[in-house]
């Protein structure tokens, strides 16, 4: 993204110097045209964004829930590919855990939809279970599912309630309990690797698969701390944060000696 911005900026400067008589290429033109929304445009874009969100969300709830996502071509719900466990394009992401609903929690809150948010929390409390024989990618489950549950819990328990009253009746840390359950099911990924880097995938019921890959990507190993750290903070249990911190420290120690850069992939058992 930064590279694209720099290229556009450089090209813009070249045009300004070469054809300075063309006001079209001057910075003031772009600032005036794109630098802000008028109040009318702001409200118009706000409503358009809401309309687009609810179009997708309402159709998911009508045609796909409690499966993970909506298949827009067939207008049906979609979960893991149980017939083809090697289909990681699907199975890394989808785990039979109401993924789209979890993804939507913070959006419902930010849009001020108290009724929709509270209904979504109740549906997850009633339907969500991680006691499933599904193998998922640790990175995806951490950032989307664990992160989604924790952020919604923080919204609910925030005394300031900045988006309106988002507290379900009789809420008893239900989302935190679900996050705790998921975090514990992800922990086996951090165990029994010589490099202290986590396995890329874990079976929610059985732990690390026997035939798992012997490598993990940099993002998968090094970006788990925010969610795991928050879970530890909320539970008063350092084990989750500790596992993620050890992975980051290990990854940092494997930087290239000459460039200081990290590789795209890192081995779990033998790092050259």
């Amino acid at each position: 993204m930064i590279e694209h911005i720099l290229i556009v900026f450089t090209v813009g400067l070249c045009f300004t110097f070469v054809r300075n008589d063309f006001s079209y290429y001057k910075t003031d033109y772009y600032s005036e045209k794109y630098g802000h929304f008028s109040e009318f445009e702001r409200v118009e874009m706000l409503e358009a964004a809401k309309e687009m969100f609810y179009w997708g969300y309402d159709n998911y709830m009508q045609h796909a829930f409690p499966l993970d996502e909506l298949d827009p071509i067939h207008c049906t719900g979609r979960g893991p590919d149980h017939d083809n466990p090697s289909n990681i394009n699907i199975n890394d992401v989808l785990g039979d855990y109401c993924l789209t609903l979890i993804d939507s929690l913070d959006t419902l809150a930010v849009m001020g939809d108290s009724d929709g948010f509270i209904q979504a929390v109740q549906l997850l409390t009633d339907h969500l279970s991680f006691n499933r024989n599904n193998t998922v990618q640790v990175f995806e489950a951490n950032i989307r599912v664990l992160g989604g549950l924790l952020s919604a819990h923080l919204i609910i328990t925030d005394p300031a309630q900045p988006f309106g009253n988002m507290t379900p009746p009789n809420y008893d840390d239900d989302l935190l309990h679900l996050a705790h359950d998921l975090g514990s099911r992800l922990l086996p990924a951090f165990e029994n690797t010589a490099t202290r880097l986590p396995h890329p995938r874990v079976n929610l019921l059985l732990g690390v698969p026997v035939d798992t890959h012997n490598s993990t990507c940099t993002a998968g190993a090094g970006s788990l701390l925010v969610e795991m750290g928050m879970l530890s903070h909320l539970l008063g249990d350092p084990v989750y944060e500790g596992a993620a911190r050890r992975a980051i420290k290990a990854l940092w120690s494997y930087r290239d000696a000459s460039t200081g850069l990290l590789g795209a992939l890192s081995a779990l058992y033998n790092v050259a």
Side-chain angles (χ1 to χ4, degrees):
M1 181 63 179
I2 294 176
E3 290 85 351
H4 294 165
I5 294 172
L6 289 174
I7 291 170
V8 171
F9 179 71
T10 303
V11 172
L13 282 179
C14 290
F15 275 119
T16 300
F17 288 127
V18 174
R19 300 301 300 271
N20 196 42
D21 55 324
F22 284 5
S23 61
Y24 180 86
Y25 297 112
K26 292 185 178 179
T27 304
D28 288 345
Y29 170 85
Y30 293 106
S31 297
E32 183 177 346
K33 185 172 179 61
Y34 302 113
H36 69 284
F37 283 120
S38 68
E39 181 61 16
F40 174 81
E41 290 171 323
R42 186 190 70 81
V43 173
E44 186 179 43
M45 294 299 102
L46 179 65
E47 293 305 315
K50 285 184 177 180
E51 183 179 351
M52 285 189 290
F53 167 75
Y54 282 110
W55 170 256
Y57 180 74
D58 291 343
N59 276 284
Y60 164 75
M61 295 303 299
Q62 180 179 351
H63 300 290
F65 177 81
L67 296 179
D68 287 310
E69 65 182 16
L70 175 67
D71 177 349
I73 303 300
H74 303 97
C75 206
T76 59
R78 179 165 60 191
D81 186 351
H82 295 290
D83 295 330
N84 182 14
S86 65
N87 184 4
I88 59 175
N89 289 331
I90 294 295
N91 295 331
D92 272 0
V93 180
L94 308 185
D96 278 332
Y97 35 40
C98 311
L99 182 59
T100 297
L101 188 58
I102 296 175
D103 275 341
S104 302
L105 287 171
D106 54 356
T107 303
L108 289 166
V110 169
M111 288 186 172
D113 187 350
S114 176
D115 291 341
F117 178 85
I118 290 173
Q119 180 188 37
V121 171
Q122 188 60 56
L123 286 170
L124 289 172
T125 302
D126 294 340
H127 291 88
L128 182 57
S129 170
F130 298 113
N131 194 39
R132 301 183 182 277
N133 187 15
N134 293 329
T135 298
V136 297
Q137 190 184 72
V138 174
F139 170 80
E140 289 285 345
N142 178 76
I143 193 172
R144 295 180 66 178
V145 185
L146 185 61
L149 293 171
L150 291 174
S151 61
H153 171 74
L154 292 171
I155 288 171
I156 292 169
T157 56
D158 185 348
Q161 290 293 290
F163 308 118
N165 183 10
M166 297 291 163
T167 306
N170 305 314
Y171 181 74
D172 189 23
D173 292 344
D174 304 288
L175 298 186
L176 179 58
H177 295 320
L178 287 168
H180 187 188
D181 183 23
L182 176 59
S184 297
R185 294 173 189 270
L186 297 180
L187 277 181
F190 295 86
E191 300 171 355
N192 301 320
T193 64
T195 60
R196 294 170 293 159
L197 299 177
H199 291 278
R201 296 174 182 86
V202 68
N203 184 287
L204 295 174
L205 190 62
L206 304 174
V208 177
V210 176
D211 57 348
T212 189
H213 290 279
N214 184 28
S215 63
T216 186
C217 69
T218 299
S223 63
L224 308 173
L225 182 57
V226 171
E227 295 81 6
M228 287 292 200
M230 180 55 68
L231 181 61
S232 278
H233 173 75
L234 293 171
L235 295 175
D237 183 348
V239 65
Y240 306 95
E241 180 177 355
R245 281 194 181 278
R246 283 192 297 274
I248 291 177
K249 290 179 179 179
L251 189 65
W252 186 251
S253 71
Y254 298 134
R255 290 172 297 153
D256 184 86
S258 59
T259 66
L261 298 177
L262 296 166
L265 296 173
S266 296
L268 299 176
Y269 298 104
N270 47 15
V271 174

